[in-house]
Amino acid sequence: MNVQEQIEEYITSQPEPKRSDMQELHRLVLQVLPGCKLWFDNGKNSENKTVSNPTIGYGFYTIKYADGKTRDFFRIGLSANKTGISVCILGIKDKTYLAQTYGKELGKASVTGYCIKFKSLKDIKIDVLEAAIRYGFDSQHETSE
C-alpha cells in the first residue's frame, strides 16, 4: 500500500464528524503546500508496539539530536486523537511562538510548543490555522531537538 492509500485508509477509518474534518484539513494542507512530500507514520515502533497516534506528515526536515544523530521526518503532522485533532508543526526553535502568535486568534484550541489541538474545525478559525501551517513550512527554522 502506498502512502496516499495509507492516508486515505486512515482518514476513512475515523468516525464522523472527525473524518470530514480530517479530509478538509488534508485538502487544506495540500493546497497550502502543493507538491510537498507526503508521509504516513502508523504510530508503531520497530517492535510493532503503538507509541503514538498514527500521523499524516507533510514536507521534510531533518531532526538533529543532541548525540549528533539525525533523522529525516515530516515538518507538519496531522493526527486524530481521543478528544479531537492535532496539527503539529515540527522544527520551531522558539517553543512559545505558536501560542503567542496564533493562540488567542485560533478559537477553541490548546496550543503547546509545537502542537495545536482542537475538538473540531467548527471550533477554530481555519485561516489562522492555515497561517500557522504556512509559518511552520515557509520559515525553515533551526531544527535541533
Side-chain angles (χ1 to χ4, degrees):
M1 192 178 328
N2 69 30
V3 171
Q4 189 61 46
E5 290 168 335
Q6 289 175 307
I7 290 169
E8 259 180 56
E9 186 177 276
Y10 173 58
I11 291 173
T12 57
S13 75
Q14 300 303 314
E16 285 294 357
K18 196 180 293 185
R19 177 185 318 142
S20 294
D21 284 353
M22 294 282 290
Q23 285 172 326
E24 177 62 20
L25 283 166
H26 181 60
R27 186 199 61 73
L28 173 73
V29 177
L30 292 177
Q31 181 182 319
V32 171
L33 312 173
C36 70
K37 178 177 174 63
L38 285 176
W39 305 67
F40 184 74
D41 179 351
N42 65 7
K44 297 183 187 286
N45 67 11
S46 57
E47 287 129 33
N48 207 30
K49 290 185 180 173
T50 300
V51 294
S52 67
N53 290 320
T55 304
I56 302 166
Y58 307 88
F60 179 87
Y61 99 106
T62 302
I63 299 172
K64 296 174 187 162
Y65 295 101
D67 65 3
K69 291 181 182 175
T70 61
R71 177 179 175 199
D72 292 342
F73 214 61
F74 48 82
R75 183 161 294 275
I76 310 292
L78 171 62
S79 63
N81 56 53
K82 286 180 184 174
T83 59
I85 298 170
S86 296
V87 175
C88 296
I89 302 169
L90 306 178
I92 298 174
K93 188 176 181 187
D94 179 353
K95 300 298 181 204
T96 64
Y97 184 83
L98 279 183
Q100 289 177 349
T101 307
Y102 304 104
K104 289 181 180 148
E105 300 297 318
L106 259 169
K108 290 183 188 174
S110 79
V111 185
T112 61
Y114 62 92
C115 224
I116 299 167
K117 296 178 184 176
F118 48 93
K119 187 170 181 175
S120 71
L121 279 179
K122 66 179 174 34
D123 295 331
I124 64 163
K125 294 181 182 170
I126 294 175
D127 59 326
V128 177
L129 179 63
E130 181 180 329
I133 290 167
R134 281 187 198 281
Y135 167 79
F137 196 78
D138 289 346
S139 8
Q140 300 295 306
H141 313 285
E142 190 172 316
T143 55
S144 56
E145 296 294 315

